[in-house]
Amino acid sequence: MSYMSQEGYDKLVAELKQLETVERPKASAAIAEAADKGDLSENSEYDAAKEAQAHLESKINKLKLSISEAKIVDTSRLSTDTVQIMSKVEMTNMANKSKMTYTIVSESEADLRAGKISIKTPIAQGLLNKKVGDIAEIKIPRGIVKLRIDKITIE
């Protein structure tokens, strides 16, 4: 089961629809076009088109699985007492006093540029169940980072 926001779920459904209604017919047309060029045993264009179709079908199947396993989180029922999935966490790095803010989301919704980190990352795992004022000691590849939880909100 994968917990995610309604927005993340809708994005997955839209991507699946795009792949099934636009990309799949394009892949089939590319295979048909390459097949029309004759001998399939030495037709690299045909082989490439078949490979692209296989990759597309794999992606479609993974999306279908993600959608079927999705559990949409009702953010109105979440608490800001402790850090959990969908929490927006403002924190301070105790070593250099730099401030940072991350929202903890499902793996499929992660987008570092938007400040959304996967619940499976070491930082998110280290923050889970912490309260405002707690200092989380998190093991990351560069060593251990100490982050003080300054604020927890739900968007």
Side-chain angles (χ1 to χ4, degrees):
M1 191 175 304
S2 176
Y3 293 93
M4 63 180 64
S5 66
Q6 183 68 50
E7 177 189 352
Y9 180 83
D10 292 344
K11 202 179 284 187
L12 287 180
V13 171
E15 184 180 354
L16 177 63
K17 184 178 179 187
Q18 165 75 14
L19 293 177
E20 288 182 327
T21 61
V22 177
E23 300 303 323
R24 187 183 269 163
K26 278 186 192 175
S28 296
I31 290 170
E33 187 179 316
D36 287 344
K37 294 185 178 173
D39 184 10
L40 297 182
S41 65
E42 294 181 19
N43 187 336
S44 62
E45 194 175 322
Y46 177 79
D47 292 340
K50 287 293 281 181
E51 191 173 317
Q53 183 188 38
H55 179 70
L56 177 66
E57 291 301 325
S58 172
K59 191 172 184 179
I60 287 171
N61 288 334
K62 284 180 184 169
L63 273 174
K64 282 182 176 179
L65 182 64
S66 292
I67 289 168
S68 72
E69 292 178 341
K71 175 97 170 98
I72 297 169
V73 176
D74 180 358
T75 53
S76 69
R77 299 182 66 181
L78 296 178
S79 164
T80 55
D81 294 342
T82 61
V83 177
Q84 56 196 315
I85 192 162
M86 303 303 195
S87 292
K88 182 175 185 176
V89 186
E90 294 177 30
M91 61 205 116
T92 303
N93 182 325
M94 299 310 289
N96 59 18
K97 301 299 179 205
S98 65
K99 304 258 184 210
M100 59 187 90
T101 303
Y102 291 125
T103 302
I104 299 174
V105 296
S106 68
E107 208 168 10
S108 62
E109 295 178 273
D111 179 359
L112 196 54
R113 279 189 226 116
K116 296 179 177 183
I117 61 171
S118 166
I119 193 160
K120 294 187 176 182
T121 61
I123 290 179
Q125 287 292 304
L127 293 173
L128 287 177
N129 299 315
K130 297 287 188 271
K131 297 178 177 162
V132 172
D134 287 355
I135 295 178
E137 291 190 21
I138 302 166
K139 188 174 183 344
I140 59 172
R142 293 187 310 242
I144 292 182
V145 64
K146 291 182 181 182
L147 302 173
R148 183 184 67 224
I149 313 295
D150 298 327
K151 187 176 180 184
I152 302 169
T153 55
I154 305 289
E155 290 190 341

